[in-house]
């Protein structure tokens, strides 16, 4: 059926994105930046300072692939492997997250929209599936519709995230080149790293869309 085809495509995209991410990360993780031997934290600090964002701290956090920019506290957080390492992977990820800080500074519209949606997505993450499944079990279509509506908010949040991530990846290459942090050959490796990371968001959106199709399929008898 069409649903199973969509599910198969979704899983395939997610697996490919995860494989691509780990493959690219591993490949460039051991390649130091010859142009300027900076750690990820130092690269992020230089990019932020050059943009006038001296007030944005760069912090070390635990875990792997936990790097992110927090617009609520205006803080850039890097995993220890990125924060303390001089490699194309570390510098690329750091520049990508610094790109998000620049998006925030420039009031980039997907960033503004995403920030505005955060309270609703938190609500949706907690209640969307419980409400939908509760309505399904109790045979209450209005309850199912509320749950479905909240799930659509989550899907819209992921959709808005896509241009945000790809723009940050584009900015990363530009910022590193502009600051002279990598040479032309190294820039190609950085590009692979940041683009592989951005594609994981495409995979997440695809899987969520498949989940939406599943919910619609379950709710069809009550339509």
């Amino acid at each position: 059926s069409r649903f199973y085809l969509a599910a198969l495509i979704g899983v395939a995209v997610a697996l490919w994105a995860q494989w691509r991410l780990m493959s690219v990360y591993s490949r460039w993780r051991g390649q130091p930046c010859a142009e300027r031997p900076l750690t990820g934290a130092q690269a992020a600090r230089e990019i932020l300072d050059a943009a006038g964002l001296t007030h944005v701290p760069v912090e070390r956090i635990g875990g792997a692939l936990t790097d992110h920019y927090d617009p609520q506290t205006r803080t850039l957080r890097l995993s220890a492997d990125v924060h303390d390492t001089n490699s194309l992977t570390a510098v690329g990820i750091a520049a990508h997250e610094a790109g998000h800080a620049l998006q925030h500074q420039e009031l980039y519209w997907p960033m503004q929209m995403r920030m505005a949606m955060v309270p609703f997505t938190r609500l949706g993450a907690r209640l969307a599936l419980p409400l939908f499944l509760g309505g399904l079990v109790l045979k209450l279509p209005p309850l199912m519709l509320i749950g479905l509506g909240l799930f659509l908010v989550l899907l819209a949040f992921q959709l808005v995230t896509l241009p945000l991530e790809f723009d940050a990846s584009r900015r990363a290459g530009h910022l590193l080149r502009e600051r002279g942090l990598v040479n032309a050959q190294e820039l190609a490796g950085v590009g692979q790293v940041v683009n592989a990371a951005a594609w994981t968001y495409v995979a997440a959106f695809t899987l969520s869309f498949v989940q939406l199709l599943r919910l619609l399929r379950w709710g069809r008898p009550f339509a």
Side-chain angles (χ1 to χ4, degrees):
S1 69
R2 293 178 180 176
F3 169 74
Y4 291 111
L5 178 60
L8 183 62
I9 293 173
V11 171
V13 170
L15 290 175
W16 175 83
Q18 188 63 29
W19 170 83
R20 174 68 174 165
L21 179 65
M22 300 312 298
S23 175
V24 169
Y25 271 33
S26 298
R27 178 181 179 185
W28 298 109
R29 184 181 179 184
Q31 179 67 43
C33 293
E35 193 70 14
R36 290 183 60 191
L38 301 180
T39 65
Q42 291 170 333
R45 182 75 273 155
E46 180 165 330
I47 291 170
L48 292 172
D49 289 351
L53 296 174
T54 55
H55 60 285
V56 175
V58 179
E59 299 179 351
R60 182 193 293 106
I61 56 172
L65 303 179
T66 50
D67 315 275
H68 66 280
Y69 170 71
D70 183 350
Q72 305 300 323
T73 61
R74 294 180 180 270
T75 303
L76 196 156
R77 300 188 177 97
L78 301 175
S79 59
D81 197 40
V82 171
H83 188 280
D84 303 329
T85 303
N86 167 32
S87 71
L88 294 183
T89 293
V91 170
I93 293 172
H96 175 94
E97 299 306 333
H100 285 312
L102 268 66
Q103 289 172 338
H104 193 186
Q105 178 192 43
E106 297 170 10
L107 302 179
Y108 184 54
W109 72 264
M111 172 69 80
Q112 298 301 107
M113 184 176 294
R114 192 175 189 272
M115 290 174 61
M117 294 175 69
V118 166
F120 303 101
T121 57
R122 288 175 178 168
L123 185 66
R126 290 197 302 267
L127 298 178
L129 289 179
L131 287 176
F132 182 88
L133 295 176
L136 187 65
V137 172
L138 298 174
K139 298 182 179 180
L140 294 174
L143 198 59
M144 292 169 60
L145 285 174
I146 294 173
L148 191 62
L150 289 174
F151 191 85
L152 286 172
V153 170
L154 294 176
L155 195 65
F157 183 79
Q158 289 182 315
L159 185 61
V160 169
T161 298
L162 297 183
L164 200 66
E165 293 300 323
F166 280 101
D167 179 73
S169 293
R170 179 190 61 79
R171 287 172 187 258
H174 175 74
L175 292 167
L176 290 172
R177 185 172 61 252
E178 184 181 64
R179 301 302 304 168
L181 299 178
V182 295
N183 58 38
Q185 289 74 25
E186 292 171 335
L187 189 61
V190 167
Q192 290 183 21
V193 170
V194 295
N195 284 324
W199 270 94
T200 62
Y201 290 90
V202 176
F205 173 79
T206 303
L207 288 178
S208 294
F209 184 74
V210 170
Q211 176 73 337
L212 173 65
L213 295 180
R214 181 186 290 121
L215 297 181
L216 291 174
R217 198 163 180 259
W218 288 347
R220 188 180 300 171
F222 301 96

